Amino acid sequence: MRVIIKNNYNDCSQWAAHYVAYKIKAFRPTAKKPFVLGLPTGSTPLGMYKALIEMYQQGKLSFENVVTFNMDEYIGLDADHPQSYHYYMQENFFKHINIPKANIHMLNGMTKDYTKECELYEQSIKNYGKIHLFIGGVGEDGHIAFNEPGSSLSSRTRVKTLTQDTIVANSRFFDNDTSKVPHTVLTVGIGTVMDAEEVLIMGTGNKKARAIHHAIEGSINHMWPISILQMHQHGIILCDEEATRELRADTVCYFKDIEKQKF
Ligand code: GLP
């Protein structure tokens, strides 16, 4: 596992955006051979999206041959609901870049047939071969996408019921009213994320310190879903200094030293 430790949130956002841009360009995508990117929502990736938009506006990056798959969506919120992930992605990223609409894939939380929706999503990823880079955030309880603690570490796209911890954490987007937060969601599975060629998980701020500790120093355990990243051949954790607070000092030094030696 590669662990990148940056000074602060802004530096993490810049690093993530430059990494995404580098991967897209190095791939030399075409319409027939697009670069397939897995994307998250939440507050953590906002800085990265902003930096990517700037690169596009400056003519340094094109999304014309990029295909995206988002991680998750609330059940029962339509695309116009300001807290739906459809709305979030549109407002914070898609409407500012040149990605063709047909290249965007998001789970439909308004579907009547959840099983079919999830099966089609998995199939749609397979039709492209695989996701080349899956980017994610992490919940305070170690969840990735909406795979809550106790999720099968080989799970596929499916319906999940949120834990009370996540409902409380996400209520900040719903007027701090937990009753407004949908209790069920559609989410890619942990197995779906792990199938990607490369996975980059971002965790910033001291609220994420416990999750980052379990991800890097803990043992693989379904109660800390992020810990499965230890099994990925190309897993990256990108965090700021605050999020390393629960790591041992020598763990932090070890990963910083390795990164210093890289070009
Ligand atoms: C939600 C999302 C996750 C995200 C997590 C953390 O639960 N489903 O994909 O990683 O929140 O969000 P934030 O970045 O706002 O802390």
Side-chain angles (χ1 to χ4, degrees):
M1 179 194 284
R2 193 172 168 195
V3 178
I4 317 269
I5 302 166
K6 293 284 161 195
N7 285 340
N8 52 42
Y9 174 78
N10 192 40
D11 289 356
C12 284
S13 302
Q14 289 296 327
W15 193 94
H18 280 92
Y19 195 68
V20 171
Y22 157 71
K23 294 301 282 191
I24 293 173
K25 286 181 193 170
F27 192 81
R28 298 176 184 274
T30 62
K32 282 196 175 147
K33 193 194 74 158
F35 186 82
V36 188
L37 188 59
L39 292 176
T41 54
S43 35
T44 311
L46 284 171
M48 174 191 74
Y49 287 138
K50 204 165 161 270
L52 285 170
I53 292 165
E54 279 166 16
M55 286 179 197
Y56 163 69
Q57 287 170 343
Q58 290 162 5
K60 293 179 183 163
L61 184 62
S62 170
F63 294 89
E64 196 184 346
N65 294 314
V66 174
V67 163
T68 61
F69 283 89
N70 261 82
M71 290 188 134
D72 43 17
E73 180 56 288
Y74 289 110
I75 286 180
L77 300 191
D78 62 37
D80 293 331
H81 189 292
Q83 295 313 330
S84 75
Y85 289 166
H86 277 74
Y87 189 90
Y88 169 106
M89 288 307 298
Q90 198 54 32
E91 291 303 307
N92 293 305
F93 195 39
F94 295 144
K95 80 173 188 190
H96 305 285
I97 58 171
N98 65 335
I99 188 166
K101 214 173 165 211
N103 289 12
I104 297 170
H105 300 83
M106 294 196 70
L107 284 155
N108 175 12
M110 298 302 285
T111 182
K112 291 209 171 76
D113 190 340
Y114 303 131
T115 310
K116 196 170 164 208
E117 174 72 14
C118 294
E119 278 172 13
L120 285 174
Y121 207 65
E122 288 278 338
Q123 192 52 52
S124 188
I125 295 171
K126 281 202 188 91
N127 292 345
Y128 283 101
K130 63 182 160 187
I131 291 177
H132 297 113
L133 173 63
F134 217 136
I135 299 172
V138 60
E140 290 169 37
D141 59 1
H143 73 250
I144 46 174
F146 266 133
N147 294 284
E148 296 283 32
S151 291
S152 156
L153 295 179
S154 58
S155 50
R156 311 304 308 185
T157 304
R158 68 209 183 292
V159 176
K160 280 296 285 180
T161 302
L162 298 183
T163 60
Q164 192 58 22
D165 281 352
T166 299
I167 291 169
V168 170
N170 289 5
S171 67
R172 70 189 192 278
F173 301 114
F174 293 83
D175 308 322
N176 290 314
D177 181 349
T178 52
S179 71
K180 289 186 185 167
V181 184
H183 289 199
T184 50
V185 297
L186 297 179
T187 180
V188 294
I190 296 175
T192 322
V193 175
M194 289 293 285
D195 280 351
E197 196 170 287
E198 191 169 12
V199 180
L200 166 61
I201 301 288
M202 290 189 271
T204 55
N206 52 25
K207 281 187 175 170
K208 302 294 168 72
R210 263 185 90 204
I212 294 298
H213 156 67
H214 283 279
I216 298 168
E217 296 176 323
S219 45
I220 298 168
N221 188 312
H222 66 163
M223 295 312 286
W224 288 94
I226 190 181
S227 64
I228 193 64
L229 202 63
Q230 294 172 24
M231 290 295 290
H232 201 285
Q233 289 187 15
H234 301 287
I236 305 178
I237 296 225
L238 171 62
C239 56
D240 62 359
E241 289 285 351
E242 279 189 21
T244 66
R245 278 187 188 180
E246 296 208 20
L247 291 178
R248 291 164 49 127
D250 61 350
T251 302
V252 172
C253 284
Y254 172 74
F255 284 109
K256 280 187 175 173
D257 282 348
I258 292 178
E259 285 306 315
K260 263 190 224 152
Q261 289 162 31
K262 288 202 167 141
F263 296 105

